Amino acid sequence: MIRKMVLTGGALALLSSVTLGVPLFSYARCGVDWLRSSANESMPLEWELKRARQMIADLKPEIEVNATRIAREKVDVNRLQKQLSETNTRLANARTDIERLTDDLRSDNQRYTYGGRTYTSSQVKNDLSNRFKRFKTQKATLDKLEQMLMARERSLQAAKDRMDEMLSAKRQLEVEVE
């Protein structure tokens, strides 16, 4: 029953605005705006102050959570930077070792001596192959660490921006209360 009344009323409003040229929708929108502004104007000042103070109090836990998030992100960024530096160092050492073994193999000797031990040409080639596989894995790891670091830095910046927004909103509310 109510559904039929709403549909009929809507159809009549639409039909009258189209046929008669009466802008019912603009009247309705104007009426809603008037009601909204009347309600805002009728609120006592003390009520508005309480509301503003409550909004300030509501922002404090969010600010604390965001500060914790920023601290956690900073720790993660520092850890990733250290890990990235260590991986870079290991990668540079691995590259040097690979180049040294490659140069040694170009001399076409049958025996090679490293660290007081003697190795055959096939053992050195095998070692070189294994080192190159590890080098490629370390390189892929380095690339992933760089991507993770960039993502963490973006996340840290977003958290800092969010913190700035919340602190600005809090200051604005405090100024309004004063």
Side-chain angles (χ1 to χ4, degrees):
M1 179 72 177
I2 294 175
R3 183 176 168 193
K4 288 182 182 178
M5 288 175 31
V6 169
L7 288 175
T8 304
L12 285 174
L14 182 63
L15 184 63
S16 68
S17 66
V18 169
T19 58
L20 301 175
V22 178
L24 292 180
F25 293 116
S26 66
Y27 286 143
R29 190 173 53 232
C30 183
V32 169
D33 287 341
W34 177 78
L35 284 173
R36 201 174 284 148
S37 66
S38 295
N40 284 338
E41 290 170 2
S42 67
M43 285 292 156
L45 182 60
E46 294 81 25
W47 181 261
E48 289 295 325
L49 287 174
K50 282 183 182 180
R51 186 178 71 85
R53 287 186 182 116
Q54 182 62 44
M55 289 172 68
I56 292 170
D58 290 344
L59 278 175
K60 286 181 183 178
E62 281 186 60
I63 290 172
E64 290 172 3
V65 166
N66 204 42
T68 303
R69 181 175 172 213
I70 288 172
R72 194 174 305 124
E73 289 294 332
K74 282 183 179 180
V75 167
D76 287 344
V77 164
N78 287 336
R79 181 185 52 81
L80 280 172
Q81 286 174 338
K82 182 179 177 184
Q83 193 175 2
L84 192 65
S85 174
E86 291 170 357
T87 303
N88 265 330
T89 302
R90 282 194 306 266
L91 200 61
N93 291 339
R95 178 178 286 131
T96 302
D97 291 345
I98 288 171
E99 289 171 353
R100 181 176 39 106
L101 288 175
T102 304
D103 288 343
D104 288 349
L105 284 174
R106 286 188 185 131
S107 67
D108 284 336
N109 292 339
Q110 292 302 319
R111 302 238 177 245
Y112 301 94
T113 304
Y114 300 109
R117 294 190 63 191
T118 303
Y119 300 96
T120 64
S121 176
S122 64
Q123 288 174 323
V124 173
K125 286 179 183 177
N126 221 6
D127 184 41
L128 179 62
S129 173
N130 290 335
R131 285 177 187 251
F132 189 68
K133 286 177 187 175
R134 285 193 304 266
F135 176 80
K136 289 192 315 188
T137 303
Q138 288 175 342
K139 179 69 173 143
T141 302
L142 179 70
D143 293 341
K144 292 295 181 188
L145 283 174
E146 287 173 343
Q147 291 174 357
M148 287 172 53
L149 179 62
M150 287 174 31
R152 287 289 184 179
E153 287 173 340
R154 283 192 304 267
S155 177
L156 176 61
Q157 188 58 46
K160 285 180 179 180
D161 292 345
R162 176 76 177 131
M163 178 66 95
D164 290 343
E165 290 172 9
M166 286 189 288
L167 291 175
S168 176
K170 182 181 174 204
R171 281 190 292 270
Q172 180 64 32
L173 287 171
E174 288 170 343
V175 166
E176 288 177 12
V177 166
E178 292 301 318

